[in-house]
Amino acid sequence: MNIFSARQLGVTGGALIGIGYIYLGLRVTSVWQFFLSELVIGTGFGLSSLPGYITLHSHFPANFPVMFSFTCLFDYVGVAVFPLIMQQLKATYGLELGLLLFGAIAWNTIVCGVCLRKVGRMGCALTKRNTSNEKRDIPEMELKHIVSETRNIRKRQINNRMRLCSSLFYHKTFALLIGLELTSYYIFFSWALFLVSLGKTMGLSEGEAVFLSTAGGIGGLVGKLCVVFMFKYDKVNAYTCCLIPLVTNGLSMIGCTLVHNVYVLSTLAFFSGLSQGVISSGVSGTIPTTICSHHFSEAISISYFVDGVAMQLGGLFSGFLHDILGSTIHIYRVDAALCFLILPLAVLWACTDDSVHQCQLEVTPRMSDP
């Protein structure tokens, strides 16, 4: 993002998303071609997401948690709508042509990339010296001192850039939130990927199993909408957006493995989605309020990287469990156990000061004007 603009990254990412789905529908005949198409799609989403986040923050620096939680509403709109759209496209046009058409639909993200525009321009504030017409000769010793100080500043800037993940050490609350975000996103992706499979395992038909995903998506949408108002009225804390939702989600997931009625399963999926919507928006929206401006870009990059790792683990590890244990039921029980295992992190967050203090970083002395 220091080299390319948010608009360039957004347009490129949007183009790759559509190309990946179109290639998936046209050319995929082996597992390696499938891997390549998904790699292109994932790269596109990765290029699009972070510029959108930074652009949103530049437009709403004061009310960012509220606006961010509002935009997160549409994550669960996708969870609710995607299975229905793909089922309809598959039934009408077949799987291959359906994927091709979905890739064309996904190209709306190119338009979103074109619309990305940051407020103002980031850059160094340059001060003009000696604006008067008078010419001053700088003594040789003083000139050497200025050159030496300039080199020291550059060395310190390089050292600061090399302190990778320093925000995790300077901000304790941020480190706790990253742990919560990693686990909660793993649970979310595992839950979303295997929700339809769970319905079939519990004896539901394909249409009824797809409805579980819709119910969960609607629940997530409601949960994220609740977080918008919670941020609006300053009600977001470790208990309301983490502790209580984790317990609710864990109990809902255990319940999903014990019942076979479509209405009861849909209700449990709704409450599970609602809980995860509250957790994801609450934790992600709180992160910017717990870090200083110096660490903002680094912290957000770490947060998005953690989301990507959680996405990979949610598919790989859960799929591994499914292959070993032979049932989706065990995946949901493991996810429920994780909900209870990370409760101590929520308690530690409640006991940690949430206020942001400016880091006591090394400050370079200002050079006096010659």
Side-chain angles (χ1 to χ4, degrees):
M1 291 195 67
N2 293 327
I3 301 174
F4 301 100
S5 68
R7 181 174 296 172
Q8 291 172 328
L9 293 175
V11 170
T12 304
L16 290 176
I17 293 170
I19 290 172
Y21 278 111
I22 291 173
Y23 180 79
L24 191 63
L26 289 178
R27 292 285 303 172
V28 171
T29 57
S30 68
V31 65
W32 292 109
Q33 289 178 322
F34 180 78
F35 176 80
L36 176 62
S37 63
E38 292 295 331
L39 181 65
V40 172
I41 294 170
T43 303
F45 279 118
L47 289 175
S48 301
S49 57
L50 189 56
Y53 188 104
I54 300 297
T55 302
L56 183 68
H57 184 268
S58 69
H59 281 269
F60 304 98
N63 298 317
F64 179 71
V66 177
M67 298 308 300
F68 175 74
S69 57
F70 174 75
T71 60
C72 286
L73 291 173
F74 302 97
D75 293 345
Y76 280 81
V77 173
V79 174
V81 173
F82 176 75
L84 298 176
I85 292 178
M86 283 307 304
Q87 187 181 39
Q88 184 63 35
L89 291 175
K90 178 182 177 181
T92 306
Y93 303 103
L95 180 60
E96 291 80 6
L97 188 57
L99 287 168
L100 189 150
L101 291 173
F102 186 80
I105 295 172
W107 265 336
N108 76 87
T109 49
I110 296 178
V111 181
C112 298
V114 172
C115 295
L116 290 180
R117 183 179 63 85
K118 295 175 67 175
V119 176
R121 293 183 177 272
M122 302 297 293
C124 300
L126 301 177
T127 57
K128 295 181 180 180
R129 296 179 178 178
N130 297 330
T131 55
S132 62
N133 293 328
E134 297 181 3
K135 295 183 179 180
R136 297 180 57 185
D137 294 330
I138 302 176
E140 184 178 356
M141 291 298 296
E142 196 168 356
L143 182 60
K144 290 182 179 179
H145 174 72
I146 293 174
V147 173
S148 176
E149 286 294 327
T150 303
R151 289 175 178 172
N152 289 334
I153 291 174
R154 290 177 179 174
K155 289 180 180 179
R156 287 163 181 159
Q157 288 175 343
I158 294 173
N159 290 334
N160 284 335
R161 293 192 188 102
M162 293 179 66
R163 294 171 185 170
L164 298 176
C165 303
S166 61
S167 54
L168 292 171
F169 302 98
Y170 281 105
H171 302 283
K172 296 180 180 178
T173 303
F174 172 63
L176 292 174
L177 292 177
I178 285 296
L180 289 168
E181 187 175 35
L182 174 64
T183 311
S184 62
Y185 265 78
Y186 166 83
I187 295 171
F188 166 72
F189 285 110
S190 175
W191 168 81
L193 286 172
F194 291 91
L195 188 56
V196 175
S197 176
L198 176 71
K200 293 180 179 179
T201 303
M202 304 307 291
L204 303 184
S205 65
E206 184 176 355
E208 290 174 334
V210 169
F211 184 72
L212 290 184
S213 180
T214 302
I218 294 173
L221 181 64
V222 173
K224 287 179 176 289
L225 184 61
C226 292
V227 175
V228 174
F229 291 100
M230 289 165 63
F231 272 118
K232 178 70 174 178
Y233 297 104
D234 197 22
K235 300 297 182 182
V236 174
N237 53 55
Y239 301 104
T240 58
C241 80
C242 203
L243 194 65
I244 297 174
L246 280 173
V247 174
T248 304
N249 190 36
L251 294 176
S252 299
M253 285 187 164
I254 292 175
C256 285
T257 64
L258 300 176
V259 298
H260 300 272
N261 183 275
V262 61
Y263 299 107
V264 178
L265 281 170
S266 299
T267 303
L268 291 173
F270 173 84
F271 280 104
S272 180
L274 187 149
S275 303
Q276 294 185 79
V278 172
I279 296 170
S280 61
S281 285
V283 172
S284 299
T286 304
I287 284 177
T289 67
T290 61
I291 52 180
C292 65
S293 58
H294 176 81
H295 283 120
F296 178 79
S297 297
E298 176 193 291
I300 299 307
S301 300
I302 292 174
S303 175
Y304 268 76
F305 176 76
V306 165
D307 294 346
V309 171
M311 181 186 298
Q312 300 303 316
L313 293 177
L316 291 173
F317 188 69
S318 297
F320 175 76
L321 287 178
H322 185 274
D323 293 340
I324 295 297
L325 302 176
S327 176
T328 311
I329 293 175
H330 299 294
I331 296 175
Y332 271 65
R333 288 175 178 172
V334 170
D335 292 343
L338 286 175
C339 290
F340 296 108
L341 287 175
I342 61 173
L343 288 177
L345 291 179
V347 175
L348 287 174
W349 176 18
C351 300
T352 305
D353 185 11
D354 285 331
S355 59
V356 178
H357 301 286
Q358 190 67 27
C359 299
Q360 300 298 320
L361 299 175
E362 183 182 16
V363 181
T364 57
R366 290 186 61 184
M367 293 184 296
S368 58
D369 290 335

